[in-house]
Amino acid sequence: MKSPRLVTEQPFEKVHFVEEVGLMFEIVGLPRMSGRIFGWLLISNPPQQSSSELAEVLQASKGSLSTMTRLLIQIGLIERVSLPGHRRDYFQIRPNAWTQLTKQRMAQLKAFRELAERGLKLMEGTQPPLQERLQEMRDVHAFLEQELPRLIERWEQQDEQHEMSVDR
């Protein structure tokens, strides 16, 4: 007996959404299957899905799912959870996943800024036009490195206020 959650039995809109998330992940350099898993976890009911359920819904091999769920766990978008009374592990979207991912990106911004600064030292004494690309790289990353923490802080305050208003 097939699961009623089989992707081919899902409404077209859900199937299309899962595929769109997969394509978006591919555009940013991640495997399409990782995006498909993430897309399904965004809309699945219940929110926790086992490897078997993901394999059936996404028509993917367990090997591929294992690799991709490990990747999604490493980048902080999903987590492995156990449910009371169940022997198997489940996957779900990690709470505050986007905030954590953005915080990780801040370290990348710093690394790019530092790399640009090393390049500028390397180019000292050359014509200013030859340094412009590195200066732009440094300046953009320095700006984002300075501003992103403020945006995250504002988001966390807004999110906290929202949660407080929902709890009332």
Side-chain angles (χ1 to χ4, degrees), residues 59-166:
Q59 296 295 289
S61 73
K62 289 195 178 186
S64 173
L65 288 169
S66 176
T67 302
M68 294 301 106
T69 53
R70 255 194 325 274
L71 171 68
L72 291 168
I73 289 169
Q74 287 173 350
I75 62 177
L77 288 177
I78 69 170
E79 62 185 1
R80 183 186 313 266
V81 296
S82 59
L83 299 176
H86 294 258
R87 288 190 205 178
R88 62 176 69 168
D89 288 335
Y90 293 82
F91 299 97
Q92 68 180 17
I93 302 292
R94 185 174 168 203
N96 301 311
W98 294 110
T99 304
Q100 291 304 98
L101 189 63
T102 303
K103 287 179 179 179
Q104 290 172 11
R105 297 273 189 230
M106 290 187 328
Q108 294 170 347
L109 292 171
K110 180 180 179 188
F112 273 105
R113 177 190 49 80
E114 290 172 345
L115 188 61
E117 288 172 352
R118 287 197 306 276
L120 283 167
K121 283 188 181 188
L122 182 69
M123 298 298 287
E124 280 179 358
T126 62
Q127 297 292 322
L130 295 176
Q131 297 176 26
E132 287 175 1
R133 295 168 289 187
L134 287 165
Q135 288 170 341
E136 180 187 7
M137 179 180 170
R138 181 204 53 209
D139 294 348
V140 165
H141 287 88
F143 176 81
L144 293 172
E145 188 180 4
Q146 177 183 335
E147 294 299 319
L148 206 47
R150 295 178 192 166
L151 288 172
I152 290 172
E153 186 178 322
R154 284 180 42 211
W155 164 253
E156 288 174 338
Q157 289 171 354
Q158 178 181 318
D159 191 45
E160 188 177 304
Q161 289 173 354
H162 174 73
E163 286 183 21
M164 288 173 42
S165 69
V166 169

Side-chain angles (χ1 to χ4, degrees), residues 3-14:
S3 166
R5 299 196 285 193
L6 188 63
V7 100
T8 57
E9 298 172 15
Q10 294 296 327
F12 172 78
E13 293 80 12
K14 286 186 175 184

